[in-house]
Each structure stands twice: as C-alpha cells, then as structure tokens.
Amino acid sequence: SYYVDINQNLFLEAYLHSSDSNLVLFVDTCVASPNPHNFTTVTYDIIRNGCVRDSTYATYYSPYTHVVRFKFNAFQFIRNNPLVYLQCELVVCRAYDYSSRCYQGCITRSKREASS
C-alpha cells in the first residue's frame, strides 16, 4: 500500500525482467477502482487502449526500452472511499517491430455497423 494525499503526483515504473534486450514495454491500459476484485463496474480510466483518459497522466523518459515510467495525480472515488486500486495492462513487443501493438499508440475502436 502507498499513502498519498489527494492531487499529489503518483509516480510509477514498470520493469520487464528479461535477458532479451530486444524487448519493448508498452502501457496499454490502466484502470482504477474502489474495489480490488472488480475492475468493470465502478472504474476510472487513466489510460485505455493506449489513449490517455486522465489529463494528469504523463510519461517520463526511460533510457531502457524494457522500463516504462509514468505519473498521474492521486484522486478518490465519490462516496468518500479512501482506497483506490490500480490495474494496468502492459504489452511486451519485439523492438523495432513497427507492426506490433507497442508502436501503434492510441487505438480508438470504432463500433461495427449492423448489417441489414
């Protein structure tokens, strides 16, 4: 557990432990929830499908492709819930494989049109 004040910057770093130096790490989705066992009912998107949803989210330079660094401001859910749980999905890709998910960035999925 980490204790932070409301609106305080929360800094995170994800590290891929691998002997393969040709791997890239990408933050695809980070979702916050007041319930550690439910990340679908009451949630807040910080980043989804590579698209930033929170204006306080920012990435930081990392000299290594297998390390990602980012931050966002701490917040609390309505109804005065003091705890916020974070679930992040990260993608591992081959470096310089520009067709991979890591190099596609923000993906906005359009809804399929209903066929007649």
Side-chain angles (χ1 to χ4, degrees):
S1 295
Y2 291 95
Y3 297 93
V4 292
D5 293 327
I6 297 298
N7 293 326
Q8 183 179 339
N9 278 333
L10 190 62
F11 297 94
L12 292 97
E13 178 178 85
Y15 185 98
L16 176 66
H17 294 271
S18 173
S19 57
D20 189 341
S21 61
N22 289 316
L23 296 177
V24 174
L25 199 55
F26 174 73
V27 181
D28 182 82
T29 298
C30 275
V31 178
S33 169
N35 183 340
H37 309 293
N38 184 341
F39 282 88
T40 54
T41 308
V42 178
T43 61
Y44 175 76
D45 287 356
I46 295 161
I47 182 168
R48 179 164 301 270
N49 299 323
C51 306
V52 175
R53 302 288 190 214
D54 182 288
S55 61
T56 68
Y57 177 91
T59 56
Y60 286 92
Y61 170 76
S62 168
Y64 309 104
T65 58
H66 63 279
V67 176
V68 290
R69 296 171 176 159
F70 58 96
K71 72 97 179 170
F72 60 91
N73 282 10
F75 61 92
Q76 80 178 29
F77 281 88
I78 48 174
R79 307 209 189 289
N80 207 24
N81 193 316
L83 298 176
V84 174
Y85 298 90
L86 192 63
Q87 178 174 279
C88 293
E89 296 176 24
L90 291 95
V91 182
V92 178
C93 307
R94 287 245 155 249
Y96 312 112
D97 175 7
Y98 297 110
S99 64
S100 70
R101 176 69 192 96
C102 295
Y103 292 93
Q104 293 168 352
C106 172
I107 294 180
T108 53
R109 293 189 170 92
S110 57
K111 293 179 180 174
R112 292 189 186 130
E113 292 183 22
S115 57
S116 56

